[in-house]
Amino acid sequence: MRSITIVAMVALLAVQPLAAESPDPAIDQAKVLIQAGQGSKAVEVMEKAVAAKPNDARRFFWLGTAYGTAARGAGMLKTISIAGKARDAFDKAVALDPGFIDARFALLEFHLMAPGVMGGDAAKAREHAAEIKKRDAIAGHRAFALLAVAKKDLKTARAEYAAAVRESPDSTKPRYWYGVFLMMHDKNYAASGEQFDAALRIDPNYMPAHFQIGHLAALSGANLARGEAALRKYITTNVETESLSIYRAHYWLGLVYEKQGKKAEARAQFRESLRLQSDNKDAKEALKRVS
């Protein structure tokens, strides 16, 4: 059994795509429900959507994403069932469109994190990583970095992210990915901040970097004023990107306020985080601290 829980694994499949998408009324409706944490309703919408257009890869991708959201707060047996449905939806998306990188990433992470009894398969994860690299060399570095992290080979993962930055120095995403790795795995907050800053020099409106600058401030306790401003910008923009939820932005902003000694402001942010995602255990615990 992998160290990550089944619930957490399926929840991680509720991701936002890496590529821009054209409008689709059903998908747009599901996105709103997913953002509000209403996974079961999003599943209902997307099940009807794929029945209406059974050859639409994007709709199957979003059905898998909806299942991931629905898993949050579910019991263990239900979560196991949902995990299989999410995997099947992403498999169908790839079968319909073998070049669908977002769906391949979802499957890669599923096979890395799911225990074997749920269908997790490291060999299949490597296959998806190889297919991603064939189609997009930069995304391929990220895919192989994820494989390395799963094996606790942080040296190789670090090298993959550094190579992505080196090969695409004017792109925001490699710097963003590398910054998140440095923050979460190396705890190298200074180097992480440098990557997020570099992403913003390329595109000052790149919202994921604003989110992570706030996240970084909440974790490190440094640059709190800047972290507050970055999270407020992200929340005001109100566009969820790359699985960075608004409810998490409110949670990190609450932590920034807590570190500043502003308990009333922190309480307000934790309550808003819970309003948007009622099963947010981190926010529940934080609210106890500042009440």
Side-chain angles (χ1 to χ4, degrees):
M1 181 72 71
R2 308 277 164 75
S3 60
I4 188 166
T5 67
I6 294 173
V7 172
M9 181 276 296
V10 180
L12 283 172
L13 298 180
V15 297
Q16 301 293 327
L18 303 179
E21 294 189 318
S22 56
D24 179 312
I27 291 174
D28 291 343
Q29 183 182 0
K31 286 180 181 179
V32 172
L33 292 168
I34 288 168
Q35 180 172 337
Q38 298 180 43
S40 296
K41 291 183 179 179
V43 167
E44 291 178 12
V45 169
M46 292 314 303
E47 285 180 337
K48 291 177 182 177
V50 299
K53 293 182 69 174
N55 295 317
D56 190 317
R58 286 179 57 225
R59 288 191 172 192
F60 274 100
F61 172 80
W62 280 100
L63 175 59
T65 301
Y67 281 131
T69 304
R72 293 170 179 161
M76 184 63 69
L77 292 178
K78 185 176 180 181
T79 299
I80 292 172
S81 173
I82 291 173
K85 291 179 179 179
R87 179 200 60 219
D88 290 347
F90 293 131
D91 274 333
K92 182 65 173 179
V94 169
L96 289 168
D97 180 2
F100 197 164
I101 288 178
D102 298 313
R104 286 194 181 275
F105 264 114
L107 285 167
L108 184 157
E109 294 188 312
F110 175 91
H111 286 297
L112 284 179
M113 291 184 283
V117 293
M118 285 179 57
D121 186 331
K124 288 184 178 179
R126 288 193 297 273
E127 288 174 10
H128 284 295
E131 290 296 327
I132 289 168
K133 189 170 185 177
K134 282 182 190 176
R135 293 164 170 82
D136 184 329
I138 301 304
H141 283 301
R142 181 187 179 216
F144 279 92
L146 292 174
L147 293 179
V149 168
K151 293 188 289 187
K152 302 187 186 305
D153 182 0
L154 298 187
K155 181 179 179 180
T156 296
R158 193 179 300 110
E160 290 285 358
Y161 284 123
V165 169
R166 186 171 60 253
E167 293 170 20
S168 188
D170 297 325
S171 177
T172 55
K173 285 180 180 176
R175 293 189 178 278
Y176 170 78
W177 299 331
Y178 193 22
V180 172
F181 172 84
L182 291 167
M183 175 173 64
M184 302 306 296
H185 293 284
D186 284 355
K187 311 299 181 186
N188 189 339
Y189 298 141
S192 173
E194 289 171 2
Q195 292 301 322
F196 298 141
D197 284 340
L200 289 177
R201 285 195 295 273
I202 296 166
D203 179 1
N205 293 314
Y206 185 56
M207 288 299 111
H210 287 289
F211 179 101
Q212 297 297 357
I213 285 171
H215 184 184
L216 184 60
L219 292 179
S220 67
N223 301 311
L224 293 172
R226 187 184 180 203
E228 175 188 346
L231 287 167
R232 286 203 166 278
K233 183 178 180 69
Y234 187 85
I235 290 167
T236 301
T237 304
N238 198 32
V239 177
E240 296 198 353
T241 54
E242 302 196 17
S243 72
L244 305 177
S245 300
I246 300 297
Y247 83 91
R248 291 301 293 179
H250 282 288
Y251 170 71
W252 293 124
L253 183 55
L255 283 188
V256 167
Y257 282 135
E258 184 180 0
K259 283 181 164 55
Q260 291 173 323
K262 300 177 180 178
K263 287 192 175 183
E265 290 88 342
R267 281 196 297 272
Q269 294 302 319
F270 295 142
R271 285 171 180 157
E272 181 62 11
S273 182
L274 283 169
R275 185 186 71 79
L276 294 171
Q277 187 63 255
S278 60
D279 64 348
N280 183 357
K281 294 180 181 179
D282 291 336
K284 288 179 182 178
E285 290 299 316
L287 192 55
K288 291 177 185 178
R289 291 197 305 269
V290 296
S291 294

